[in-house]
Amino acid sequence: MFITEDIKYIGVNDHRVDLFEGQYTVPNGMSYNSYAIIDERIAIMDTVDAHFTHEWLDNIENTLGGRTPDYLVIQHMEPDHSANIANFMKLYKNTVIVSSSKAFVMMKNYFGTEYEDRRIIIEEGSTLSLGRHTLAFVAAPMVHWPEVMVTYDACDKVLFSADGFGKFGALDVDEPWEDEARRYFIGIVGKYGVQVQSLLKKAASLDISKICPLHGPILTEDLGHYINLYNIWSGYDIESEGIMIAYTSVYGNTRKAVESFADMLRSKGCPKVVIHDLARCDQAEAVADAFRYGKLVLATTTYNADIFPFMRDFVIHLVERGYKNRTIGIIENGSWAPLAAKIIKNMLANCKKLTFTDTTVTILSALNEKSVAQLEALADELCRDYIAKHSETANKNDLSALFNIGYGLYVVTSNDGKKDNGLIVNTVSQVTNTPNRIAVTINKANYSHHVIKQTGIMNLNMLSIDAPFSVFETFGFSSGRNTDKFANCDVLRSDNGLVFLPRYINSFMSLKVEQYLDLDTHGMFICSITESRVISAAPSMTYSYYQSDVKPKPKTEGKKGFVCKVCGYIYEGDVLPDDFSCPLCKHGAADFEPIG
């Protein structure tokens, strides 16, 4: 298989394996990918699983046409990629291994040698010239082992991504990428979201046309789609709107409650209801779906003064992978002493940014009038935002949205006639209540100021505290003049035709400009309210909460200069110019503070 003119695929497909890593079902097998870069010098990228030694060595021999490899690059020491290092090195006695120092320590553990006389130790920033091709190495510790490096070939613009962007399934089976890649990522890499985010930021500076992972297909088209999904997964963000129900049932009564509850959710506008019977489903798929959707309902019985074993295992999987940023409802069943809700909450106590519903459903053996009413109340609570988002069911005159205005952070959305736009603002106030008037102040340098002056309308989205930093990056660090800020978003629209955010807001208001005040560098739009919806009861995002709990802490150790209080950008220098503007968030010198 030709990746490019000089890069050839030499990996193998495995249809013998039934459980990858001894736990993940792989009905369509696995691929163990390896590549040959053929130039003045030849580099082999990683080896394959021990069961395919001769097939892999045959692939190398047939691909190289009599030439011998100069280098064996080892990016990752997990045995499905490193098992044939010793076999390769015995056959090709003049080849040099290129890998990280931690990888060579692992080689001694596996093979009894660190290849001291035949090795090149690489680290972040190291390069290796093959002729036309120069390989640049990027450290990727804990993605998902500590020794991992990824490799970039600037000549053909190819990123060799180690286990990143991998998926279950052999290459000779045609199947959609997303589901098996999600199950692979959440199951195997998911605990290390912070490290993946760090790697994605490094990759953002590279011009990539192809991604070559160690499992799964070579990615060649619409790379933004795959990178966006990886950004969502590693950022623990919500990928799809909907509610997942995970349940266990001993005699069928909890199952009946779940089926009835699912019907209630659908009737109240839930766009997707996914149900997993934890005793019978693929546990890895259930865990992946728990991360995919924003709301999770756990329904289980009290069992031996604990919870049913399959539910316990499932919750442990969530905790181990850093489950967060989700809303959780609980349905507990117990004939005489229901304990499931208490136990589950205790198990999840160390998970961050979980919101438990006000309603907990308690079933005493079987559904009765009281527990059915609790199911209805839980469904109402979980579907409140779906009802508010859809034009047919929303209360469009819910002026309690005014109570969510404070010294907070908002996304103002508009449209220039060609595309939707949005920006972060923090200067919003209610100026009168008879009639209700809202003042929104926007910097004239922002493209949105220009658009709103022309159109006279905007939507004011009140961010809630579950909004991740990626929201602020999207709407605060780039201009809508040259960026489509809704490119990866399923948009919803209010009656004025403008978008409102599908998540991370507790309310929004559609505003019509009634008066404009010129404030030199800024313009103040005084507006009437044409539509007002409350989406959820989540607290509003205040400026102080953003500073303390959302914005990443800048790495200022050992640096001198000034740090942006909005985005964390560091300006190194003794004096910050008065007219300096942050290159990331565009805020001025007034929003910088000295380091230290």
Side-chain angles (χ1 to χ4, degrees), residues 481-496:
R481 182 178 288 279
N482 53 24
T483 303
D484 185 354
K485 299 186 181 184
F486 290 90
N488 297 307
C489 181
D490 295 327
V491 299
L492 298 173
R493 297 190 183 277
S494 56
D495 287 350
N496 64 3

Side-chain angles (χ1 to χ4, degrees), residues 423-562:
L423 87 158
I424 298 289
V425 300
N426 64 355
T427 311
V428 176
S429 61
Q430 181 181 3
V431 290
T432 64
N433 63 1
T434 309
N436 285 307
R437 290 287 186 266
I438 304 296
V440 181
T441 303
I442 300 176
N443 192 314
K444 290 181 180 179
N446 288 311
Y447 182 57
S448 292
H449 177 276
H450 169 71
V451 172
I452 295 168
K453 275 209 76 175
Q454 288 186 322
T455 63
I457 58 173
M458 72 180 90
N459 278 353
L460 181 68
N461 298 263
M462 287 78 151
L463 292 172
S464 52
I465 60 173
D466 57 343
F469 186 65
S470 59
V471 170
F472 299 91
E473 290 180 302
T474 298
F475 295 106
F477 298 173
S478 59
S479 171
R481 182 178 288 279
N482 53 24
T483 303
D484 185 354
K485 299 186 181 184
F486 290 90
N488 297 307
C489 181
D490 295 327
V491 299
L492 298 173
R493 297 190 183 277
S494 56
D495 287 350
N496 64 3
L498 299 181
V499 299
F500 61 92
L501 270 60
R503 59 177 71 106
Y504 307 132
I505 62 173
N506 57 27
S507 50
F508 81 86
M509 289 186 287
S510 296
L511 304 181
K512 178 183 176 184
V513 178
E514 302 290 350
Q515 186 179 352
Y516 176 79
L517 297 179
D518 191 318
L519 302 177
D520 191 15
T521 59
H522 291 67
M524 177 182 287
F525 299 91
I526 299 176
C527 309
S528 59
I529 303 169
T530 60
E531 185 175 345
S532 182
R533 301 192 207 176
V534 175
I535 307 297
S536 77
S540 295
M541 174 74 71
T542 64
Y543 193 76
S544 61
Y545 187 88
Y546 166 80
Q547 291 288 338
S548 62
D549 292 86
V550 179
K551 185 186 74 174
K553 301 297 183 288
K555 297 178 181 179
T556 58
E557 185 176 352
K559 296 182 179 181
K560 295 182 179 179
F562 302 83

Side-chain angles (χ1 to χ4, degrees), residues 245-251 253-255 257-258 276-279 297-304 306-315 329-335 337-345 347 360-365:
I245 307 171
Y247 80 92
T248 61
S249 186
V250 180
Y251 297 110
N253 288 306
T254 305
R255 174 180 55 79
V258 164
H276 287 280
D277 178 352
L278 297 179
V297 175
L298 302 173
T300 192
T301 53
T302 301
Y303 188 84
N304 288 337
D306 205 305
I307 55 176
F308 203 73
F310 290 108
M311 178 62 75
R312 170 166 280 278
D313 289 345
F314 177 71
V315 175
I330 299 175
I331 301 171
E332 62 178 359
N333 193 345
S335 293
L339 296 172
K342 178 181 178 181
I343 292 168
I344 289 171
K345 287 182 179 179
M347 291 179 69
T360 296
V361 178
T362 299
I363 301 169
L364 297 176
S365 298

Side-chain angles (χ1 to χ4, degrees), residues 74-118:
I74 297 297
Q75 301 181 108
H76 183 22
M77 278 299 298
E78 209 166 1
D80 53 333
H81 309 301
S82 69
N84 279 294
I85 290 175
N87 293 325
F88 177 94
M89 296 299 280
K90 287 176 185 176
L91 182 63
Y92 296 106
K93 297 186 182 298
N94 294 319
T95 300
V96 174
I97 297 185
V98 180
S99 200
S100 67
S101 59
K102 286 185 173 67
F104 284 111
V105 173
M106 294 180 181
M107 287 181 209
K108 186 168 186 177
N109 295 337
Y110 281 120
F111 309 116
T113 177
E114 293 186 30
Y115 297 98
E116 290 89 341
D117 58 337
R118 301 171 62 188

Side-chain angles (χ1 to χ4, degrees), residues 384-406:
R384 179 180 181 181
D385 57 336
Y386 302 133
I387 293 170
K389 288 175 184 176
H390 289 91
S391 182
E392 298 80 9
T393 56
N395 176 0
K396 300 178 182 179
N397 193 36
D398 189 347
L399 293 179
S400 64
L402 291 166
F403 301 144
N404 291 322
I405 294 177

Side-chain angles (χ1 to χ4, degrees), residues 165 200 223-234 488-489:
F165 297 96
L200 288 174
L223 296 186
H225 170 71
Y226 304 108
I227 293 171
N228 180 58
L229 283 175
Y230 249 64
N231 191 44
I232 290 171
W233 297 340
S234 59
N488 297 307
C489 181

